[in-house]
């Protein structure tokens, strides 16, 4: 807020400074203005005509100034509207903030009210406890000091303002300033844009050169860049705004959180207060005066036993010291226990044992208490010498034991609190708590008894010696202090228990959270397992997808190439369209300009025609007048003077006509000159057009050729590509077929193993045949490939010849030819128009000749007229001379003259008509000439533009040719590369496995070529993108132009059609008139030709419009196509980039993985293979030995062969068994490996789960750390605020001390003046009286000054009141001194006067003394307030210290948490590393497992082969025995060959399996990467969608702004039209005035010479006045600006000041209300002072009366208190006595009433009685069900069963509901209860404070009542404020509830009724509700 106010202040200062400057400039301008006006007054013009001119000129200038001012006004209105919008936005923001703040304030207020209510309830409970305790202790009972408890009310301070207010407002203001600055920048940029637009327009109008166009393009680019920057800035600022709003919300959240924390603290404080209050209530044992008196009497009776008692006292002192020592040791133990809280967790097991011990101790304590009670009784009975000290000693021993027990219990309690309780320990805790509470109650009772005994003993001793008394008092204080400490320790224990419970809750929550986490993790584990399975399934699918993607990649590349070609064609077509469009637009603009100019000319001609017609009419009227005059004169012949006038007029008319003729001649000459110039220019333009046409035709022919060539090349390349693709597909198919064949052969071989040797031979032969067939097939394939190559070459040749792409070119060329034909037609039309204009000019020449003839005839007529006039004059002379007799000749002459005159008139009319026709023709010619000039200019422009376009086209074509050439080269390169690839593939197919090196080379080359292709494609794409962006810009420009043109054409087509029709109609009329006048055929033909031309123009315009609409459609289609293409290109680019990235990643990963994994696997495999090789070698050796044995056996045929063979066969069988065992071992080992792998998988899954758990924990800890940081920040802020508050308190203290010092000074002054008052020559008696009067105040002041040093805020207000009273006293003192002086003078004269004066002085002094006493009382009240404030300060300081401790604790916690987080992070990283290692190990194991499986398969195969060998050997042995040796050898050889083949097949199979597994691993890795990429794609798509939405929103906002701007423009245009209309009206008025002035000027031609001189002078004056007017306009503008600024500033000032004044007014109203009361009292005192000493005497009397009244009231109050105490005692006695008693009368009435009711309603009566007696519903229902059997039980229950019944109440319960009973019994019962429940006791009188003061003067003095009474009777006071309310018939809100009261009260009658008392006590009822209603409520209960 401070920053905001500072900003406001600075702004106000600046605005005021500006206002000052503007005012100074204003004054200067006003003075200059007045001077100028005075000067103008001196330079007034004499003539009326000049004055008119001057006035007209001034009018125009003023109108121009007015227009300028209006424009400025509009601009300022705009600015104002913008500012208003901003203001509204700011207001909305502020409203939102204020609403949020208000909501929070309301919440806080609600919470505070709840807390206050709770506090009040607690206070009332405290009071109850105290009263109960005192009544139980004292029997009779003395009233407890409720004031003491009430005074201990903690002030719950509630700060309405929030901490973050300053920052929030600062942020808002800063953001508003930023917005203003941005809006200013936007307006500046808009003005710059407008300026550049104007520049562009002006340059277009002037005729732009190439350089200027380039500059314009640059400027347009600049404008676009600026717009982009603007949009970016707007986005950034919007983002900043959103960030600010987020920050503001966060601040609000923090504030609310802090508030909650504060509330929690307050609640804790309240709980502490409750505990303390309970302890205070328990431990109150103040001694009464009555006891002291009794003990004094006892002490007097026991004077003789002093010595023994002194010894006892000493013993007691020693014991107390020991107790102190033990207490300190207990405190130390407490501290140690607090330190050992952490270790106490381990000692949970000992709690049960401790509990048993506690029980035992508790029983012992109870016994000791019983013994003490017995001892006390004995002591009371005996009262001997020895009994007292013995009892004291025993009691003290018991106290010591109790203290020890308490210390041990507290230690155990702390241990118990420290250890976190299990659910099983909950019951033990509850028991321990209950036992401890019982023990404490017993212990407190013990202590009280001990204390009472000690007090008795001490009182006995106090009677003996005062020293003993003082010592006993000290000991008592020590005991009380220790008890207080004990209570505090108990409170601490309770708080610790509460904390333990909270910890339990937190622990339970944590365990629940852990369980949920475990469940979630298990679910996740199952999900991951399913996902892994799905992934395994997806791997196969994705392999297929990868192959498909590769295929699609190729396709996309091809499609890209085709799209590039299409784009190029589109670009060419677009360029042509742009050129044609521009030409059409230029033509349209030219036509529009021509039309506008024609309209303007028409308007001018119409105006001139109208003026001429008016003049002709006027002249005809004048002629008629002259003719009439002539006739009159001819008849009368007396008035000759009229003829002179007519002559003069005619001469004037003739002069005018001559002038018109001369002007017409000049115009004709000018037209002829312009026509000749136009003809020459037209010839030049035609020549230029022809040259351009030739150039265009040449360019078109060149273009056609180029297009043809390029299209042929492109198509040839396409065909080649297609063929290559087909060949590649065929090769791939072949390879697949070969692979299939190989697979089949492998399968056949595997089958062949199981077959016999004969079958094997057959299969071998078949295979040989198949091999031969395959060779033949390969040869055939090679031939077909050669044929394909030949076909390929043929297709290439065909491609070169094919020209399929020429269609597009031919279409474009046709369109261009059509456009050229249109242009030719237009040129022909222009030629025709020129020819027509030539004809018109010829006609004009003829008309001019006619005009000249007419002029000559006019001259002849004028001469004849002159002759006639002369004749008339002659005739007049003759008439005058001759006789009056009329001759017949004269009559004839007159008739002839008349006829001649009529003929002349007819001729004149004809001439005038002809003149009109000539004028029209001249105007038409002028218009035609203007049109011709315009058309020539437009043609020149078109020629320039066409030249420029041709140059641009050439440049673009060259650029396109270069790009095409580059593309063709690239395509050729790619084709060559594909060819090389194909050749190499064929070579690979033909060659054997020896050409591996070549294959690798080819692959590398292919890779390089692929990379090159990628690079080329990137470059091409970049070029395409650039081209597309340029095209986009052009398309946008064309679209804008198109839109503007279409709008203009629509407007023109609407407006112009109407205008053209009107013009055509007018022209038709004119043509008809001309046909009537001029009846020549040539003229008619001209008219017809003109009409035809017009129709042709209309048709042309319609055609142009149709073409335009077509072009717009085409443009829109192109746009859509372009957008689609752009989308496709972008998608393809993205796909390319992704694929490249994927390829790179895959290559990197495969390399890394293969390098890492292969090392370990290869080592393992090599080791295993070595072992297996060794085994195989051993087996092979055995086989060889067997063969040798067989061969040897065959040689030695019959030499004991059978035995040897049998031995060898047995050895073979044994070896076979061994091999089987080895195979089994291998299988077992394999199973073990599989199990280990599975275990590893499980472990990896567990590790993943652990990882997830750790991550979740880390996230939770991060959240907790963030919360802690937020809490820490909040605490720091609150701490800073508290420090600020402390500083403010210290400042206020200093101020208060200063004010106290001032008070002392004023009091000293008063005292000194009082001393001065005493007269110098006074008697000794008066002096003594004065001194006796003044003895007390200074001593009182000195005592009170010490107390007044700690005074605070409230003194500020009351100090002012004191100052006012002191001033009044000073005035009174001055008057008194004056009166004393007078008295002294009078005393010298007479002693009687002095005596009377002395009496008056005494009275005055008494008044002053009373006022001093009042001030002393005020000071006392202030001192009390000061004390309370100091207590508050100390509380605040304590709170501050607590907060500091909390802050330090939080800091430590934060550090610990940071450390934990760091550790967790490190552990997490380690775990991640371990997981990675495990994953790598797992992969390695999988690979090794696969290899082992492969090895196992091999071994199995080998074992199988060995078995077969063994079988073969067995057969051989059998055969050998039979004697078949040759066959055996053959079979062995075949077996060897088959084994070799099998080994080779196994190796191949193993290799294939290994390769397959590697592929699987790679595919899995690829799959994971693909998933990763998919996720990335999704994220990017989401971001894209978000950005798109954002863009759409921004576009919407911009469109809205643009629409608003258009609306404003429309409004402004309307205003401009209105102003133009006003201008037109003013111009017409000026024209009328000028017309009148011209008439006057014609009449005043003689005075022209003088006027010319005056005109020169006026011109000079005019120039001076114009300068002055300009200065005035400038000054006016400045003034307006200043005024507006001033108004704005004033508005701001007013708004700020209004708020401030409103606040001030509210404050002042309050002050005024306070001051009014003071003013009344002051007025009274003034009147009293004015009415001198009589009034003073009355005042003193009144004061005495009031003091007496106050004393009486105090006495009455004391009496009332005594009465209340008596009443309370009686009530207590009543309560004790009425327990368990029954009201007989009530029961009798109820019983009788039951029998009076009808039988139907008796059940209701019984229920009512049961509810009154307090029976339950269930019991009642049972009784009522049994009641049907008989009444005996009910009667016996009422009469006999009194033991179980409760006490019958005497009054009704609290009314809660109303119920209407229709039965007779209920009504009777209500009446009966009304009579019964009337209170018999008289209502007690109100307290002193309900007495109203007697007068207004005493209002201030009533506050002298002691504070105790105020505190006690506060609720009564509250009641007293309402005059209507009765304290004993209070409304329900004020009434005390029965069980849980909500408000405290001093009196026992108003106190709540405890549960022990009977329920039907006298009850306060609202005065509104009647007794009947209350009873009905009771019945409802």
């Amino acid at each position: 807020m401070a920053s905001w106010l500072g900003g406001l202040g600075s702004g106000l200062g600046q605005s005021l400074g500006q206002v000052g400057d503007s005012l100074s400039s204003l004054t200067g301008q006003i003075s200059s203005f007045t001077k100028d006006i005075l000067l103008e007054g001196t330079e007034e013009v004499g003539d009326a005509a000049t004055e008119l001119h001057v006035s007209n000129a001034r009018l125009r200038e003023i109108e121009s100034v007015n227009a300028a001012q209006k424009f400025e006004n509009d601009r300022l209105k705009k600015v104002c509207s913008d500012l208003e919008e901003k203001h509204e936005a700011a207001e909305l923001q502020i409203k939102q903030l204020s609403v949020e703040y208000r909501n929070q304030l309301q919440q806080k207020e609600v919470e505070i009210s709840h807390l206050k209510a709770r506090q009040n309830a607690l206070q009332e409970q405290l009071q109850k406890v105290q009263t109960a305790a005192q009544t139980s202790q004292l029997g009779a009972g003395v009233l407890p000091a409720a004031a003491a408890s009430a005074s201990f009310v903690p002030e719950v301070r509630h700060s309405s303002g929030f901490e973050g207010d300053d920052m929030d407002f600062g942020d808002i203001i800063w953001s508003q300033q930023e917005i203003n600055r941005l809006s200013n920048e936007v307006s500046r940029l808009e003005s710059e844009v407008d300026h550049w637009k104007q520049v562009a327009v002006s340059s277009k109008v002037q005729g732009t050169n190439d350089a200027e166009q380039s500059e314009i393009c640059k400027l347009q680019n600049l404008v676009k860049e600026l717009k982009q920057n603007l949009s970016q800035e707007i986005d950034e600022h919007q983002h900043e705004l959103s960030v600010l709003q987020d920050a503001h919300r966060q601040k609000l959240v923090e504030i609310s959180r802090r508030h909650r924390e504060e509330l929690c603290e307050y609640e804790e404080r309240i709980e502490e207060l409750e505990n303390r209050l309970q302890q205070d209530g328990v431990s109150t044992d103040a001694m009464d005066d009555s006891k002291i008196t009794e003990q004094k009497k006892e002490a007097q009776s026991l004077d003789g036993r002093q010595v023994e008692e002194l010894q006892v006292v000493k013993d007691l002192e020693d014991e107390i010291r020991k107790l102190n020592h033990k207490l300190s040791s207990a405190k130390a133990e407490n501290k140690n226990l607090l330190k050992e809280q952490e270790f106490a967790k381990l000692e949970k097991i000992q709690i049960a044992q401790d509990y048993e011990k506690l029980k035992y101790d508790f029983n012992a304590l109870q016994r000791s208490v019983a013994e003490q009670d017995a001892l006390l009784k004995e002591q009371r009975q005996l009262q001997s010498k020895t009994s007292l000290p013995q009892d004291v000693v025993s009691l003290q021993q018991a106290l010591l034991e109790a203290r020890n027990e308490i210390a041990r219990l507290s230690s155990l309690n702390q241990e118990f609190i420290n250890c976190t309780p299990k659910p099983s320990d909950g019951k033990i805790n509850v028991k321990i708590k209950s036992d401890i509470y019982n023990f404490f109650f017993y212990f407190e009772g013990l202590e009280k008894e001990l204390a009472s005994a000690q007090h008795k003993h001490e009182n006995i001793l106090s009677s003996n010696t005062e020293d003993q008394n003082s010592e006993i008092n000290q000991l008592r204080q020590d005991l009380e202090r220790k008890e207080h400490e004990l209570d505090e320790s108990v409170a601490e224990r309770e708080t610790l228990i509460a904390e333990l419970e909270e910890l339990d809750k937190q622990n339970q929550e944590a365990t629940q959270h852990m369980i949920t986490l475990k469940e979630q993790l298990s679910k996740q584990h199952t999900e991951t397992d399913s996902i892994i399975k799905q992934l395994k399934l997806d791997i196969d699918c994705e392999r297929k997808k990868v192959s498909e993607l590769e295929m699609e990649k190729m396709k996309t590349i091809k499609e890209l190439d085709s799209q590039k070609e299409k784009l190029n064609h589109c670009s060419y077509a677009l360029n042509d369209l742009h050129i044609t469009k521009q030409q059409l637009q230029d033509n349209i603009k030219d036509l529009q300009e021509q039309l506008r100019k024609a309209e303007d000319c028409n308007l001018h001609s119409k105006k001139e025609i109208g003026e001429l017609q008016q003049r002709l009419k006027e002249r005809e009227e004048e002629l008629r007048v002259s003719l009439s005059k002539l006739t009159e004169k001819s008849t009368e012949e007396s008035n000759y003077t009229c003829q002179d006038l007519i002559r003069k007029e005619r001469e004037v008319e003739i002069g005018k006509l001559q002038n018109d003729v001369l002007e017409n001649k000049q115009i004709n000459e000018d037209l002829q000159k312009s026509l000749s110039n136009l003809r020459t220019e037209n010839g030049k333009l035609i020549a230029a057009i022809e040259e351009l046409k030739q150039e265009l035709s040449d360019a078109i022919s060149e273009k056609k050729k180029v297009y043809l060539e390029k299209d042929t090349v492109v198509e040839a390349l396409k065909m080649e590509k297609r063929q290559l693709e087909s060949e590649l597909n065929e090769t791939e198919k072949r390879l697949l077929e070969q692979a299939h064949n190989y697979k089949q052969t492998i399968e056949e071989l595997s089958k062949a193993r199981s077959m016999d040797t004969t079958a094997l031979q057959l299969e071998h032969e078949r295979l040989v045949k198949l091999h031969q067939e395959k060779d033949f097939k390969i040869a055939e394939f090679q031939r077909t490939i050669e044929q394909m190559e030949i076909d390929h070459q043929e297709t290439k040749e065909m491609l070169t010849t094919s020209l399929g792409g020429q269609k597009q070119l031919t279409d474009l060329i046709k369109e261009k030819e059509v456009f050229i034909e249109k242009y030719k037609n237009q040129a022909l039309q222009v030629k025709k128009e020129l020819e027509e204009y030539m004809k018109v000019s010829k006609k004009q020449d003829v008309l001019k000749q006619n005009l000249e003839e007419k002029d000559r005839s006019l001259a002849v007529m004028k001469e004849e007229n002159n002759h006639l006039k002369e004749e008339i004059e002659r005739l007049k002379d003759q008439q005058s001379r001759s006789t009056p007799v009329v001759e017949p000749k004269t009559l004839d002459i007159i008739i002839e003259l008349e006829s001649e005159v009529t003929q002349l008139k007819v001729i004149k009319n004809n001439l005038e008509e002809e003149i009109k026709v000539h004028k029209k023709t001249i105007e038409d010619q002028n218009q035609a000439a203007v049109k011709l000039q315009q058309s020539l200019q437009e043609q020149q422009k078109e020629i320039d533009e066409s030249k420029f376009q041709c140059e641009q086209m050439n440049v673009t074509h060259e650029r396109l040719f270069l790009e095409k050439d580059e593309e063709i080269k690239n395509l050729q390169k790619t084709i060559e590369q594909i060819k090389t690839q194909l050749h190499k593939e064929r070579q690979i197919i033909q060659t054997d496995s020896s050409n591996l090196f070549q294959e690798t080379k080819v692959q590398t080359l292919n890779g390089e070529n692929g990379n090159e292709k990628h690079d080329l494609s990137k470059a091409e794409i970049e070029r395409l993108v650039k081209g597309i962006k340029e095209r986009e810009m052009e398309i946008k420009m064309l679209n804008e132009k198109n839109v503007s043109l279409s709008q203009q054409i629509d407007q023109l087509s609407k407006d112009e059609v109407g205008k053209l029709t009107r013009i055509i109609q007018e022209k038709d009329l004119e043509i008809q008139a001309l046909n009537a006048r001029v009846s020549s055929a040539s003229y008619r033909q001209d008219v017809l030709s003109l009409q035809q031309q017009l129709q042709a123009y209309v048709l042309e315009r319609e055609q142009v419009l149709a073409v335009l609409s077509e072009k717009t459609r085409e443009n829109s289609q192109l746009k859509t196509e372009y957008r689609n293409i752009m989308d496709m290109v972008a998608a393809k680019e993205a796909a390319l980039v992704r694929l490249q990235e994927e390829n790179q990643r895959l290559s990197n990963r495969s390399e890394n993985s293969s390098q890492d994994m292969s090392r370990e696997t290869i080592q393992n495999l090599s080791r295993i293979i070595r072992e297996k090789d060794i085994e195989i070698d051993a087996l092979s050796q055995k086989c060889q030995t067997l063969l040798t044995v067989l061969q040897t056996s065959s040689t030695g045929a019959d030499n004991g062969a059978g035995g040897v063979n049998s031995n060898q066969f047995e050895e073979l069988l044994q070896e076979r068994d061994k091999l089987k065992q080895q195979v089994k071992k291998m299988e077992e080992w394999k199973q073990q490996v599989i199990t280990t792998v599975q275990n590893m998988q499980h472990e990896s899954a567990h590790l993943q789960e652990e990882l997830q758990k750790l991550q979740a924990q880390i996230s939770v800890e991060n959240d907790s750390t963030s919360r802690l940081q937020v809490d820490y920040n909040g605490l720091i802020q609150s701490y800073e605020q508290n420090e600020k508050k402390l500083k403010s308190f210290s400042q206020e203290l200093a101020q208060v001390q200063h004010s106290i010092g001032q008070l002392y000074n004023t009091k000293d002054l008063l005292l000194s003046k009082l001393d001065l008052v005493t007269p110098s020559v006074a008697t000794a008696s008066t002096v003594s009286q004065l001194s006796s009067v003044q003895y007390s105040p200074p001593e009182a002041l000195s005592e009170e000054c010490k107390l007044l040093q700690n005074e605070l805020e409230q003194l500020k207000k009351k100090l002012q009141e004191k100052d006012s009273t002191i001033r009044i006293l000073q005035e009174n003192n001055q008057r008194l001194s004056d009166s004393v002086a007078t008295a002294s003078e009078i005393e010298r004269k007479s002693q009687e006067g002095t005596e009377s004066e002395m009496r008056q002085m005494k009275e005055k002094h008494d008044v002053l003394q009373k006022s001093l006493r009042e001030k002393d009382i005020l000071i006392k009240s202030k001192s009390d307030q000061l004390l309370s404030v100091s207590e508050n300060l100390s509380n605040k300081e304590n709170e501050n210290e607590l907060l500091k401790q909390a802050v330090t604790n939080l800091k430590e916690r934060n550090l610990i948490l940071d450390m934990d987080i760091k550790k967790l992070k490190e552990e997490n990283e380690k775990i991640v590393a371990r997981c990675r290692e495990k994953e790598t190990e797992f992969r390695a194991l999988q690979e090794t497992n696969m290899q082992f499986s492969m090895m196992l398969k091999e071994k199995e195969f080998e074992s199988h082969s060995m078995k077969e060998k063994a079988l073969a050997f067995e057969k051989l042995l059998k055969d050998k025995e039979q004697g078949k040796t040759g066959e055996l050898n053959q079979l062995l050889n075949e077996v060897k060959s088959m084994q070799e083949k099998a080994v080779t097949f196994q190796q191949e199979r193993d290799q294939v399996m290994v390769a397959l597994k590697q592929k699987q691993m790679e595919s899995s890795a690829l799959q994971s990467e693909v998933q990763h990429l998919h996720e990335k794609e999704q994220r990017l798509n989401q971001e894209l969608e978000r950005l798109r939405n954002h863009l759409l929103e921004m576009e919407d906002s911009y469109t809205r702004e643009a629409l608003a701007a258009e609306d404003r423009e429309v409004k402004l245009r309307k205003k401009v039209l209105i102003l133009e209309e006003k201008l037109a009206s003013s111009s017409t008025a000026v024209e009328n005035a000028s017309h009148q002035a011209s008439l006057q000027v014609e009449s005043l031609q003689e005075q022209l010479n003088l006027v010319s001189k005056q005109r020169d002078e006026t011109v000079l004056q005019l120039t001076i006045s114009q300068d002055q007017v300009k200065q005035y306009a400038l000054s006016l503008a400045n003034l307006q600006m200043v005024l507006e600024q001033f108004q704005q500033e004033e508005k701001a000032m007013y708004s700020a000041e209004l708020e401030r004044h409103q606040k001030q007014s509210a404050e002042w109203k309050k002050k005024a209300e306070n001051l009014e009361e003071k003013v009344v009292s002051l007025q009274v005192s003034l009147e009293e002072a004015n009415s001198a000493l009589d009034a003073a005497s009355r005042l003193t009397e009144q004061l005495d009366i009031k003091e007496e009244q106050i004393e009486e009231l105090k006495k009455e109050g004391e009496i009332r208190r005594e009465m209340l105490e008596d009443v309370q005692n009686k009530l207590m006695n009543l309560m004790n006595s009425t327990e368990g008693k029954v009201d007989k009368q009530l029961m009798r009435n109820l019983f009788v009433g039951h029998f009076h009711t009808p039988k139907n309603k008796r059940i209701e009566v019984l229920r009512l009685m049961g509810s009154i007696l307090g029976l339950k519903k269930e019991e009642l229902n049972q009784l009522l069900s049994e009641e049907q059997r008989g009444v005996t039980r009910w009667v016996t229950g009422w009469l006999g069963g009194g033991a179980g019944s409760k006490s019958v109440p005497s009054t009704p319960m609290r009314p809660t509901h109303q119920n209407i009973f229709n039965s007779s019994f209920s009504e009777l019962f209500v009446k009966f209860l009304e009579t019964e429940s009337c209170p018999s006791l008289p209502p007690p009188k109100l307290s002193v404070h309900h007495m109203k003061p007697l007068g207004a003067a005493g209002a201030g003095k009533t506050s002298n009542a002691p504070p105790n009474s105020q505190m006690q009777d506060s609720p009564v006071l509250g009641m007293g404020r309402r005059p209507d309310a009765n304290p004993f018939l209070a409304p329900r809100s004020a009434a005390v509830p029965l069980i849980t009261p909500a408000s405290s009260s001093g009196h026992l009658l108003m106190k709540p009724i405890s549960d022990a008392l009977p329920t039907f006590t006298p009850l306060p009822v609202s005065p509104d509700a009647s007794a009947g209603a209350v009873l009905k409520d009771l019945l409802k209960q």
Side-chain angles (χ1 to χ4, degrees), residues 1031-1047:
R1031 295 283 142 68
E1032 272 189 324
M1033 295 296 283
E1034 287 172 0
I1035 286 155
K1036 280 175 186 171
M1037 294 287 285
L1038 285 165
N1039 285 335
E1040 287 167 3
K1041 285 179 183 175
N1042 244 341
V1043 170
S1044 62
L1045 280 167
S1046 60
Q1047 286 172 359

Side-chain angles (χ1 to χ4, degrees), residues 545-574:
K545 283 177 187 174
V546 166
S547 60
E548 286 169 2
L549 279 166
E550 284 171 353
M551 294 290 286
E552 281 173 2
K553 215 192 258 183
M554 296 296 288
K555 285 176 189 174
T556 50
I557 290 156
K558 287 165 193 172
E559 282 172 1
L560 261 173
D561 295 327
S562 63
Q563 280 170 1
K564 279 177 197 169
E565 287 165 6
K566 283 178 189 174
L567 265 173
N568 291 326
H569 289 306
C570 289
S571 63
Y572 294 140
L574 261 173

